Amino acid sequence: MISVRNVTKRFGQLTAVNNVSFEVKQGEIVGFLGPNGAGKTTTMRMITGYFQPDAGSIFVDGIDVALNPLKSKALLGYLPENSPMYEDMTVKEFLSFIMDIREVEQRKQRLDYVIAAAGLESVFNRFIWELSKGFHQRVGIAQALISDPRFLVLDEPTAGLDPNQILEIRALIKELGKEKTIILSTHILQEAEALAEKILIIDNSKLIAQGSKEELKGKLLSSNSTKAVLRKDDNFSKKIGEMKGVSEVKTRSLDEYTEYMIFSKGDVSEEVFELAAKTGAVLKELTAESVSLEDIFVKLTSKGEKK
Amino acid sequence: MSKRFFYILKRELSGYFNSTIAYIYITLFLVMVNFFFFKDFFITGTLSMRNMFDLTPWIMFLFIPTVTMRLWSEEKRRGTDEVLFTLPVTEWDIVLGKYLGGLTFVVITILLTINIPITLLFLGKVDPGPIIGGYAGLVFIASAFISIGFFVSTFTSNQIIAYLLAAVAGFLFFIIGHPMLTSGTAGFFSEAMSYLGLYAHFTSIGRGVFDLRDFIYYTSFTAVFLLGTHFVVKKRY
C-alpha cells in the first residue's frame, strides 16, 4: 500500500502540492488526473524520494520514505516524466546499470522479460540518443520494470507514443496491474478511464476528488447536466442561475451565441425551454447530457466563469 | 555507503569513454605535456622530470574542468539526476562514485605520460624518488581540481558555465600561494596563503619530498569540496 498523508511541497512562494492525502491499496491501479502544472509530477517525485515533502509523510508498504529512503526506493519502479536516461549508453548498458544498482537476481530472465514486454528487441544494442521518442519511452518503461518491483509509479507512461504503441502499453499496464500496485499520471481522460480502478483528481495543488469512476460519476449524477445554446441574452443569463434546482451554471461564449452547462437536481430541460420562451431568448440547441469523466474533470478543474 | 558507488563510478567512466571528447582530451593532454617537456629537455639535458611536474598542473587546471563540467551539469540538463536519486543508492554513493569516476579518468590520462620516465630510464640512471613523488603529487592536485570542479558543477545545468566556474575557482586556489603573489607580503600572511594555495604543496611534492602536511592538505581540500557537493545534492529541491 502507498499512503500519502497530508503532504505539502513548496518551491519558494509557490505551493506545488497542498495538504494532499490518499491511499493506493495493494493491487490497485490508480490514475492521477489533472491539468498540467497541477502537482501530479511533484507528488510522484515525493513518493519516489526525489523530493522531500515540506510537511506530511509518505509510506510505501509501511516504510517511511523520509526515514528509510533506500528501502522504499528498492520497492518502487519509477518512470519519470519524459523518461530521462543516459543518452551516451546503449539500451543494453543502461538496463544493465539499473540491474547492477537494484541488485537484480536472475538478470537474464528479467532482461528477456522486459525486452519482450516493452518491445525492445530491435534496438537492444543501439545508443539511447539514437532512439525515436516512442522507443525512448519504452526503454523508460523497461527500466521501471526490470527489478520486478511491487509498486510502479509511472508519470505519463504513454506520452510520445503513437496510437498503436499506446494501446500496447496500456495493455501491458493492465496486465501488470493484476499483481502490482500502480500509480500513473495522465492528462488524458480516456487513459484514466481505460486503465484506472480509482481516480484522483488534482487541480491547483489540491486533491479535489478521489474515488472509483462510478463513485465520481455518481457524485455528479445526483445532479443532471443540461446543455443549452442561445443567442446572447443578458436577461436569460441572469434568470437561469436563479432557477429552482440549479446548482451551477458554466458559460462559454461562441460568437453571437452562448453555451450554458447547467448542473441541477433532476432534469430541468423543460424549465430551461420555458424560461427561454418567457424571456424571449433565441434557443438554438438544448440537450440533456449524460455525464462522462470529461465532464467531471471539466466541472472540477476548470476556472470558467460561474454564474 | 555501499558497493553500489562502484556502479556509479563504472557508469561515469563508461560515459567518458563512450564520448569522442574523452579521446580528444587524452590526446591533447598527452601532446601538450610531451611537447612542453621535450621542448626543454634536450636543451637542459638533465635526467629529471621536475620540469614536467612544474608544468602539468597548469595544463590540468585548464583540462580538468572539461572532465568535471559534465559530472552534475549534464545530469541536471538531461534530468537524469531524477533517475539516480530514485534508485536505491545514498547521496554519498552518488557523490563518491562520480568523484572517483572523474579521478580514475584523469589518473588514466596521467599514467599515459609513462613514456616520459621510460625515455629517461633509457637515457641513463634516474632517481625514482622524485618521479614517484611527482606523480603522486599530480594525482593529489588532480583530486583537488576535480573536487572543486565537481562542487561548482552542482550549481548549473550549463556545461560551459560549469567549465568556466571550475577553471576560475581552480586557478584562484592554485595561485593564492604562488610566490609571485606572496613574496611581497608579511610573514604570517604569506605562510597562511601558501598553506591554503595548491601551488606550494605541489612544489614540495614535485621535489620528491612527500610531507605529511601536504598529504593532509590535499586530502582535506578534496574532502571539504566533496562535503559541499554532498550538502548541495542532498538538499536538492
Side-chain angles (χ1 to χ4, degrees):
Chain A
M1 189 167 83
I2 296 176
S3 169
V4 173
R5 298 182 193 162
N6 306 98
V7 162
T8 295
K9 178 73 189 169
R10 292 182 206 92
F11 298 106
Q13 294 291 318
L14 178 87
T15 304
V17 171
N18 192 351
N19 197 22
V20 163
S21 301
F22 61 86
E23 274 182 358
V24 184
K25 292 199 192 76
Q26 208 63 47
E28 218 172 23
I29 304 184
V30 167
F32 215 159
L33 202 55
N36 291 323
K40 300 186 296 272
T41 295
T42 306
T43 306
M44 293 184 135
R45 285 177 167 173
M46 288 190 285
I47 295 172
T48 55
Y50 183 48
F51 289 168
Q52 293 267 345
D54 292 316
S57 42
I58 297 171
F59 296 86
V60 175
D61 202 28
I63 295 162
D64 190 328
V65 173
L67 295 180
N68 213 334
L70 283 193
K71 269 198 178 158
S72 71
K73 285 171 186 175
L75 293 174
L76 289 165
Y78 178 37
L79 172 73
E81 195 180 20
N82 302 325
S83 78
M85 274 176 286
Y86 294 110
E87 310 267 322
D88 56 19
M89 293 178 119
T90 63
V91 173
K92 184 183 172 185
E93 285 171 342
F94 181 66
L95 293 176
S96 302
F97 168 66
I98 302 291
M99 285 197 291
D100 283 342
I101 291 201
R102 291 193 171 274
E103 294 175 337
V104 172
E105 288 160 12
Q106 297 173 310
R107 296 168 67 102
K108 173 94 178 58
Q109 223 172 310
R110 286 308 298 166
L111 201 59
D112 288 346
Y113 169 74
V114 296
I115 283 176
L120 295 173
E121 296 88 350
S122 62
V123 296
F124 188 54
N125 286 309
R126 298 264 288 278
F127 280 106
I128 291 173
W129 58 264
E130 295 178 301
L131 303 183
S132 66
K133 184 103 176 33
F135 270 121
H136 199 272
Q137 189 72 4
R138 290 201 256 168
V139 176
I141 291 167
Q143 165 274 124
L145 286 177
I146 201 145
S147 62
D148 199 12
R150 281 169 50 207
F151 299 87
L152 277 174
V153 178
L154 309 171
D155 200 349
E156 310 232 345
T158 58
L161 300 180
D162 68 36
N164 283 330
Q165 295 168 338
I166 290 180
L167 293 180
E168 281 172 33
I169 294 301
R170 281 187 193 163
L172 174 63
I173 293 172
K174 262 245 123 89
E175 181 64 33
L176 292 168
K178 286 180 187 160
E179 49 182 54
K180 295 186 192 304
T181 307
I182 302 177
I183 171 163
L184 65 98
S185 79
T186 176
H187 57 262
I188 306 162
L189 295 149
Q190 292 81 350
E191 188 151 298
E193 198 153 18
L195 288 176
E197 291 139 13
K198 182 176 161 189
I199 289 169
L200 307 169
I201 299 181
I202 189 166
D203 184 39
N204 204 9
S205 79
K206 286 193 184 115
L207 194 66
I208 50 178
Q210 58 174 312
S212 68
K213 268 177 288 186
E214 289 68 31
E215 279 167 357
L216 287 179
K217 280 185 183 170
K219 266 184 203 163
L220 263 199
L221 275 177
S222 61
S223 62
N224 286 31
S225 80
T226 311
K227 186 169 103 178
V229 180
L230 291 101
R231 200 177 280 280
K232 280 210 164 68
D233 189 305
D234 289 341
N235 202 12
F236 178 85
S237 298
K238 213 180 297 163
K239 294 220 162 126
I240 186 74
E242 296 158 2
M243 186 188 273
K244 207 172 147 238
V246 170
S247 58
E248 193 180 356
V249 179
K250 282 176 189 293
T251 60
R252 192 155 69 104
S253 186
L254 310 162
D255 295 325
E256 71 261 41
Y257 295 99
T258 307
E259 184 193 278
Y260 296 85
M261 282 298 293
I262 303 152
F263 297 94
S264 56
K265 281 221 164 63
D267 187 358
V268 291
S269 47
E270 285 182 20
E271 286 85 341
V272 172
F273 178 77
E274 278 166 16
L275 178 68
K278 220 161 67 185
T279 56
V282 181
L283 183 65
K284 186 178 175 230
E285 200 184 319
L286 181 65
T287 332
E289 300 218 316
S290 67
V291 181
S292 72
L293 196 58
E294 196 154 353
D295 297 324
I296 301 173
F297 186 70
V298 170
K299 181 169 193 285
L300 290 171
T301 62
S302 77
K303 294 159 197 105
E305 320 164 43
K306 292 182 182 177
K307 293 255 165 165
Chain B
M1 214 186 72
S2 65
K3 69 177 175 180
R4 282 164 173 160
F5 89 92
F6 173 73
Y7 299 122
I8 309 272
L9 186 162
K10 211 173 97 185
R11 131 86 223 137
E12 219 44 65
L13 265 187
S14 84
Y16 286 121
F17 287 108
N18 274 346
S19 76
T20 342
I21 299 168
Y23 298 100
I24 299 174
Y25 168 90
I26 292 176
T27 313
L28 213 56
F29 180 81
L30 293 180
V31 167
M32 280 179 82
V33 170
N34 276 283
F35 172 77
F36 285 114
F37 177 73
F38 285 109
K39 180 171 73 82
D40 292 335
F41 177 68
F42 294 109
I43 302 169
T44 57
T46 39
L47 286 183
S48 147
M49 285 183 69
R50 184 75 189 279
N51 191 6
M52 183 253 187
F53 294 132
D54 273 344
L55 190 104
T56 309
W58 294 94
I59 301 175
M60 285 204 299
F61 107 81
L62 284 175
F63 270 91
I64 286 182
T66 63
V67 176
T68 57
M69 66 183 186
R70 57 186 288 282
L71 282 175
W72 271 115
S73 306
E74 186 70 0
E75 301 268 357
K76 280 175 94 162
R77 191 171 69 85
R78 294 221 180 265
T80 44
D81 58 334
E82 185 167 358
V83 176
L84 275 186
F85 289 131
T86 52
L87 286 171
V89 283
T90 63
E91 281 81 3
W92 270 121
D93 287 330
I94 297 172
V95 168
L96 287 178
K98 281 178 156 295
Y99 156 76
L100 288 174
L103 184 65
T104 309
F105 179 74
V106 174
V107 167
I108 291 172
T109 7
I110 292 174
L111 287 180
L112 286 174
T113 63
I114 190 99
N115 67 304
I116 297 177
I118 288 176
T119 311
L120 297 192
L121 275 175
F122 272 111
L123 291 173
K125 205 167 148 37
V126 187
D127 181 6
I131 294 182
I132 294 166
Y135 270 112
L138 284 186
V139 172
F140 278 108
I141 207 164
S143 161
F145 277 143
I146 289 169
S147 65
I148 199 169
F150 188 21
F151 175 68
V152 297
S153 81
T154 57
F155 294 104
T156 174
S157 57
N158 182 325
Q159 292 203 32
I160 308 287
I161 294 175
Y163 175 88
L164 292 172
L165 284 176
V168 169
F171 186 63
L172 284 179
F173 274 102
F174 190 65
I175 60 160
I176 50 171
H178 196 278
M180 199 174 76
L181 290 182
T182 53
S183 59
T185 54
F188 174 74
F189 182 74
S190 154
E191 260 178 47
M193 293 309 269
S194 73
Y195 186 79
L196 278 179
L198 292 161
Y199 179 81
H201 298 275
F202 185 73
T203 45
S204 54
I205 293 176
R207 266 183 267 120
V209 185
F210 207 94
D211 195 324
L212 186 66
R213 276 181 308 172
D214 297 328
F215 175 76
I216 292 170
Y217 169 79
Y218 282 119
T219 320
S220 37
F221 188 97
T222 303
V224 164
F225 284 104
L226 289 184
L227 279 167
T229 308
H230 180 259
F231 178 77
V232 176
V233 160
K234 180 99 185 169
K235 251 185 89 205
R236 340 201 237 286
Y237 301 98

